[in-house]
Amino acid sequence: MERNQMRRQLALMRQSFFDQGFLDEQFIQLEELQDDANPNFVEEVVTLYYRDSSRLILNIDQALERNPLDFNKLDNYMHQFKGSSTSIGAKKVKAECTQFREYCKAGNSEGCMRTFQQLKKEYAILKRKLEAYFQQARQAGPLETACRSRN
Amino acid sequence: MGAEVDHICPTGMSGGSAEGNDKSEGQRFSCKNKLTALVVDNGGVCQIIQTGLLRSYGVETEVVETGEAVVELIASGATFNLIIIEMLLPVLNGPETARQIRAMGAQGKILGITTFFDERDQQEFLAAGADEFIEKPLSPEIVIPIIRGLDN
C-alpha cells in the first residue's frame, strides 16, 4: 500500500481512538514527549503499561477469589492500576477503575467482580487497537509518530 | 512531507495541551534557570511520564520508588526545587515521607499526587507539609505554572 495512503489510514485510526472514547488527551501528552531523541516513546510506554498491568490484573484476579474479599488490598491494587491507565490516556479503562473503586468503598463484592470483568474487556480491546496502530505506524515509516521538533 | 505529518500531528485536537505547551512559536516551554526535581512513585509508567514531562521542560529530574529513598537522599544533603510524591507508597506513605523530609529541613515545593482524589488524603498531605495535592495525570497545565513560579 502506498505510503501516503498508509499515513492517512493511520491518522484516521488514531482519530477514531479519540472519537470513540478509547483514549483521552493524556495520550497526546505521550505523543508530545516523543521526538528524535525518543522516537519510539509512545510505543515503549504503552508496552510497559501492558507489561506492568498484566501483573496487577493477575493480582486482582487472585484477590477476587478470596472469601471474604479484602477490599483494602483490592483498592490498593486498583490505585496503581488506575494511575498507569490514567497516565497513558486509557479513557474507558480508567472509567472502569473508578467504578471498581466505588464498589470497593461500598464493600460490594458482586459489583467489584462484575466491573473487573468489564475492565478486562476494555483493557484487551484497547490493547488490540494500539498493537494494530503501532504495527501500521511501523509499516508506514518513522515520520508518523514523531510530532515534536518538526518545523 | 510536512503535510502528511500534519495529519498525524495533534495540533488540530481540542484539549488543553496546546495552550499548556506554549507552542506559539513552535518552541516547547523551557525553564530559564537550572531547576531540579524528584519524582517519587513506585509505578513504572507513572515514573516515566512524570520524569519525561519535567525533563521536556528542561528540569533536571531524578526518580525514586520509595519514601525511604527520598529520606535517604535528603539526609545525604540532596536538594530539589520540586518533589512530586505519590500518595500510596509501599512502606512510608506519601504524607509521612513529606513530614519526614520537612522535619529534616527540605524546603523545595512538594506536590502530593494521587490516583483517586480524596479530601482526607489531601488534608493529610497538606498538613504533612505538601504545598499542593493533585490527581493524576501530571499535566502541562499543572506543571508549567509551578515551574514558572520556581523559575522566578
Side-chain angles (χ1 to χ4, degrees):
Chain A
M1 193 189 292
E2 206 241 304
R3 262 193 165 195
N4 286 347
Q5 222 177 321
M6 273 188 154
R7 288 171 187 170
R8 269 193 294 276
Q9 262 199 5
L10 199 63
L12 287 170
M13 198 192 292
R14 179 185 170 280
Q15 187 57 46
S16 75
F17 296 160
F18 295 105
D19 292 342
Q20 292 168 22
F22 289 103
L23 295 175
D24 61 29
E25 59 275 0
Q26 181 58 23
F27 188 79
I28 299 175
Q29 291 311 318
L30 258 68
E31 292 176 321
E32 297 272 322
L33 293 175
Q34 185 157 298
D35 59 12
D36 298 328
N38 297 289
N40 302 307
F41 183 76
V42 182
E43 189 175 356
E44 283 168 10
V45 175
V46 170
T47 304
L48 178 67
Y49 167 70
Y50 276 105
R51 205 180 64 214
D52 281 0
S53 37
S54 67
R55 184 181 35 89
L56 276 169
I57 286 183
L58 199 67
N59 288 341
I60 297 173
D61 263 331
Q62 286 172 353
L64 284 172
E65 279 167 21
R66 301 262 148 76
N67 194 10
L69 294 186
D70 183 343
F71 289 108
N72 200 46
K73 195 172 218 174
L74 285 168
D75 195 49
N76 284 350
Y77 285 138
M78 191 48 68
H79 188 105
Q80 197 167 3
F81 192 92
K82 191 203 170 199
S84 43
S85 303
T86 301
S87 298
I88 69 155
K91 192 173 181 180
K92 292 194 185 197
V93 175
K94 177 180 162 183
E96 297 300 333
C97 291
T98 303
Q99 185 63 65
F100 184 94
R101 211 230 179 184
E102 291 304 309
Y103 284 126
C104 264
K105 285 204 296 195
N108 184 337
S109 307
E110 155 78 46
C112 280
M113 289 190 259
R114 222 177 337 113
T115 304
F116 195 59
Q117 294 316 309
Q118 189 56 33
L119 188 157
K120 285 193 286 186
K121 275 202 194 116
E122 293 296 345
Y123 173 87
I125 290 171
L126 180 63
K127 185 173 188 203
R128 277 198 309 271
K129 285 183 182 288
L130 287 173
E131 277 172 353
Y133 175 73
F134 291 127
Q135 183 170 47
Q136 184 128 345
R138 258 177 269 129
Q139 282 170 6
L143 244 110
E144 277 47 64
T145 43
C147 286
R148 229 161 33 92
S149 66
R150 293 271 179 258
N151 26 18
Chain B
M1 273 308 178
E4 277 90 49
V5 175
D6 283 345
H7 272 124
I8 320 288
C9 263
T11 48
M13 298 296 300
S14 59
S17 58
E19 300 109 50
N21 281 335
D22 227 316
K23 279 193 160 183
S24 40
E25 287 121 31
Q27 290 266 309
R28 192 171 177 89
F29 167 78
S30 192
C31 60
K32 295 186 292 235
N33 300 303
K34 183 189 157 200
L35 292 178
T36 56
L38 179 65
V39 165
V40 190
D41 200 305
N42 63 331
V45 173
C46 294
Q47 283 177 8
I48 288 180
I49 286 170
Q50 288 176 39
T51 53
L53 190 64
L54 289 166
R55 284 174 185 159
S56 77
Y57 297 136
V59 178
E60 217 172 272
T61 310
E62 284 179 50
V63 58
V64 292
E65 296 202 342
T66 64
E68 296 80 14
V70 183
V71 171
E72 250 182 66
L73 267 176
I74 302 295
S76 74
T79 60
F80 301 94
N81 300 113
L82 173 64
I83 304 180
I84 301 179
I85 309 179
E86 156 65 45
M87 176 75 206
L88 224 66
L89 294 169
V91 178
L92 212 63
N93 75 3
E96 188 51 39
T97 304
R99 188 173 297 117
Q100 288 197 19
I101 62 175
R102 282 294 192 218
M104 289 161 71
Q107 294 195 328
K109 190 172 184 95
I110 296 181
L111 180 64
I113 194 169
T114 190
T115 306
F116 292 106
F117 183 85
D118 184 293
E119 255 182 45
R120 275 171 313 173
D121 291 344
Q122 180 182 45
Q123 278 163 23
E124 198 190 337
F125 231 134
L126 296 179
D131 299 289
E132 281 181 58
F133 181 74
I134 59 160
E135 193 180 88
K136 284 174 179 170
L138 190 71
S139 65
E141 287 78 15
I142 291 176
V143 162
I144 290 180
I146 290 180
I147 293 175
R148 282 207 169 110
L150 293 168
D151 231 353
N152 298 327

